[in-house]
Amino acid sequence: MPPKKRKYYAYFVPGEGVAVRQGVTSEWSVCESIVSGVTGARYKSFEDRAAAERWLAGGAMYELHPAAPRRRAALDPGVYFDAGTGRGDGVEVSVTDEKGIDLLHKAVAADALNRFGKHRVGDAAATNNYGELLAFRFALEIAMETGVKRVFGDSKLVIDYWSRRKIKRKEIAPETVALADEVAALRDRFEDAGGAVMRIPGDDNPADLGFHR
């Protein structure tokens, strides 16, 4: 098997005035620790460092460098969820089917959706992980309402830990703990009724908001 190609992650974190934090790292965990939960933070992965540096030099604007269409793996029918912060307007959540068709209108009022069919979390202090948890809640609600038996996401933290009641209650914000308990109860009901929750790579997630690319 050929070695996995190295990726480079460019990150841009706005600050007061002209003070910003930006850079390039080959470690996703480093990039994630810098941008996670930061309003307005932008990040994107590249195949080489020079391309990442050019993106930063161009202002780290997603619209200046539209992503080429990607060939995703063949996807199973189901409900898919994701969250992200890349548009600079707080955390957004996304729920779609396997074709990338938005489903949030089945769980969220129309006036709570933006023009992209996504829902912005109202709390400015909300983290991306909170957004993933909220998106998972909506995905479970939609799946149970429509009779879909499979829910997919790419968050290991939310799928393998928080929604299984494995959460550091004294260290996590109370509203996040409360939501995690709600999601865990929904997941129990979903799985007891024959549903399955599965984790997939972020690059294969049709609900992907595109902010980590």
Side-chain angles (χ1 to χ4, degrees):
M1 179 181 293
K4 186 177 180 180
K5 288 185 178 180
R6 171 176 288 187
K7 283 189 175 183
Y8 294 88
Y9 302 92
Y11 57 86
F12 176 95
V13 180
E16 296 181 2
V18 296
V20 299
R21 184 181 183 187
Q22 64 181 36
V24 178
T25 176
S26 61
E27 299 294 332
W28 164 242
S29 60
V30 173
C31 178
E32 184 179 33
S33 69
I34 293 171
V35 303
S36 180
V38 180
T39 300
R42 301 193 288 275
Y43 49 102
K44 190 174 180 182
S45 69
F46 297 86
E47 298 299 326
D48 61 80
R49 180 178 288 273
E53 292 174 346
R54 285 197 298 272
W55 183 69
L56 289 175
M61 301 299 291
Y62 295 115
E63 62 268 27
L64 297 180
H65 299 270
R70 293 180 296 169
R71 288 186 178 180
R72 287 194 172 99
L75 298 175
D76 293 325
V79 178
Y80 293 73
F81 71 92
D82 187 34
T85 59
R87 255 187 280 271
D89 190 27
V91 177
E92 290 180 47
V93 302
S94 170
V95 180
T96 76
D97 66 10
E98 68 279 5
K99 298 177 182 177
I101 297 173
D102 289 309
L103 298 175
L104 270 176
H105 63 279
K106 296 180 180 292
V108 179
D111 60 1
L113 300 176
N114 62 23
R115 64 190 180 92
F116 304 101
K118 313 303 179 184
H119 172 67
R120 186 176 71 83
V121 180
D123 186 355
T127 65
N128 190 70
N129 288 329
Y130 180 90
E132 291 275 4
L133 193 59
L134 183 60
F136 191 13
R137 191 194 84 182
F138 290 145
L140 287 168
E141 290 174 345
I142 292 168
M144 288 189 288
E145 177 186 342
T146 58
V148 173
K149 293 300 184 182
R150 286 181 285 190
V151 169
F152 300 85
D154 56 52
S155 173
K156 180 179 178 66
L157 178 66
V158 166
I159 293 176
D160 293 350
Y161 295 94
W162 285 2
S163 67
R164 293 186 181 278
R165 299 183 176 84
K166 299 176 182 178
I167 186 169
K168 297 178 179 178
R169 294 176 178 272
K170 294 182 179 180
E171 300 177 19
I172 305 298
E175 58 271 21
T176 301
V177 173
L179 180 59
D181 287 342
E182 182 181 349
V183 171
L186 282 172
R187 180 174 184 171
D188 287 345
R189 287 171 49 200
F190 178 65
E191 293 180 330
D192 287 346
V197 176
M198 287 170 273
R199 191 156 54 87
I200 59 171
D203 284 347
D204 291 338
N205 190 349
D208 173 28
L209 284 156
F211 302 150
H212 65 272
R213 295 200 295 272

